[in-house]
Amino acid sequence: MTFKVYGTFEGLPPGLQLIQYRIVGTEQWKSLKSPFKHNGSFTALLATLDWEWDYETETSGQTSVQIELRQPDGLVSNKLYYFECGMAGADETFGETSEPIVRTPSGGPLAELVADANLDAVQARSGAEAALVSRYGFHLDLDAGPVTYEEVFATLPAGFAVDVWEITGAALKSVLAYPNAQGWVLTPSSSLRYTLEGGAVTEMTLNGVPVTDDQVIRIAANYILVGGYEGFPRWPGVTNVYRGGPDDRGALATYLVKNSPVSAPAGDRVTVR
């Protein structure tokens, strides 16, 4: 697999800056110049890496890279923030499903599967406790059998990054209770369950424990959903606490490989009365 490592440099002083960097473990320092007009921040491609990988062997190949920097005066922070992986072949497979995993008008098993995959992708590094997804982004059901990259791409064509946000229980309930015009609901990962009744959330549990209004919860979700662009309102009072997760296609593909063969979730995490 080929990865491109990008770095974002923040806090740069005005004018042209020279930055030196190297991959930890190598001797050669490389140099790059910032744009003369950069408004204190700019992003650049730092390295292109080819790694061998065998999905059946967890320890095979390289799984991380560190970049060491020589900071110019005034550079107060720097972030190396994502990998860009070359596109897989359309027929390349990513695990398999033991049965069809389908959408329903409100979300259903497919939405629950994607929510579980999103949470699994970021939980260890971010402390996320649950994930939420919208039916809006799903364009195709998954058939039983091997799952190809073409199917993953067709299911989630947008490829939104999975971020993590902090929100209070009261604010989250207000978002979940929103009367979506299409009749959709926000679908949670298996850790979160809620009941809608009479236009309000009457019950909500996180890992089986009732959620209080002042409780702060870490939720994995894409910025489009949080910003109010998928038929639901903008999430009030949220704080972004983690960026660096994969896009939802990558999260789903990885989850399928790790848990193959994957069965359909029950589609019962949201109760509407």
Side-chain angles (χ1 to χ4, degrees):
M1 294 186 290
T2 299
F3 293 89
K4 294 182 179 180
V5 185
Y6 291 82
T8 291
F9 302 90
E10 298 181 344
L12 288 166
L16 184 70
Q17 300 293 327
L18 178 68
I19 298 173
Q20 290 187 305
Y21 68 95
R22 66 182 177 186
I23 298 175
V24 172
T26 64
E27 295 184 1
Q28 181 183 5
W29 286 92
K30 298 181 179 181
S31 298
L32 63 88
K33 293 180 180 180
S34 71
F36 185 83
K37 295 182 179 180
H38 49 63
N39 295 320
S41 176
F42 84 102
T43 298
L45 174 65
L46 303 183
T48 299
L49 306 172
D50 291 317
W51 290 349
E52 294 295 328
W53 185 262
D54 178 1
Y55 285 110
E56 296 181 355
T57 306
E58 290 186 6
T59 58
S60 71
Q62 200 170 348
T63 58
S64 63
V65 62
Q66 290 181 299
I67 304 291
E68 182 180 3
L69 299 173
R70 286 178 174 170
Q71 297 188 161
D73 292 342
L75 180 57
V76 295
S77 66
N78 43 72
K79 300 178 181 178
L80 305 177
Y81 74 105
Y82 68 89
F83 287 120
E84 181 182 89
C85 183
M87 184 176 292
D91 295 331
E92 186 171 341
T93 59
F94 294 86
E96 63 181 276
T97 58
S98 59
E99 58 187 316
I101 304 179
V102 301
R103 301 158 293 170
T104 67
S106 63
L110 180 60
E112 291 187 351
L113 172 65
V114 173
D116 288 343
N118 287 357
L119 179 60
D120 185 72
V122 298
Q123 188 171 34
R125 293 190 177 186
S126 69
E129 300 165 275
L132 283 167
V133 299
S134 165
R135 165 71 169 74
Y136 178 89
F138 305 120
H139 292 200
L140 187 73
D141 299 334
L142 292 177
D143 296 329
V147 180
T148 65
Y149 177 77
E150 185 176 34
E151 289 178 289
V152 173
F153 190 93
T155 298
L156 294 168
F160 291 126
V162 181
D163 299 325
V164 180
W165 314 78
E166 285 188 340
I167 186 171
T168 66
L172 181 58
K173 290 174 184 177
S174 73
V175 172
L176 297 176
Y178 182 80
N180 179 275
Q182 286 77 24
W184 301 336
V185 298
L186 291 183
T187 302
S189 58
S190 61
S191 53
L192 185 70
R193 290 177 175 266
Y194 66 95
T195 298
L196 283 172
E197 187 172 6
V201 174
T202 56
E203 297 177 32
M204 182 189 296
T205 60
L206 180 64
N207 296 316
V209 179
V211 173
T212 63
D213 285 349
D214 59 353
Q215 180 177 348
V216 177
I217 306 170
R218 288 195 169 192
I219 301 288
N222 71 60
Y223 75 95
I224 294 291
L225 179 60
V226 174
Y229 296 103
E230 293 194 356
F232 292 90
R234 185 180 183 92
W235 293 18
V238 293
T239 301
N240 180 241
V241 295
Y242 178 77
R243 290 182 180 176
D247 66 32
D248 48 15
R249 284 199 302 265
L252 177 59
T254 301
Y255 189 85
L256 290 169
V257 170
K258 287 172 60 178
N259 297 283
S260 183
V262 176
S263 300
D268 62 352
R269 299 171 190 173
V270 181
T271 301
V272 181
R273 294 175 179 164

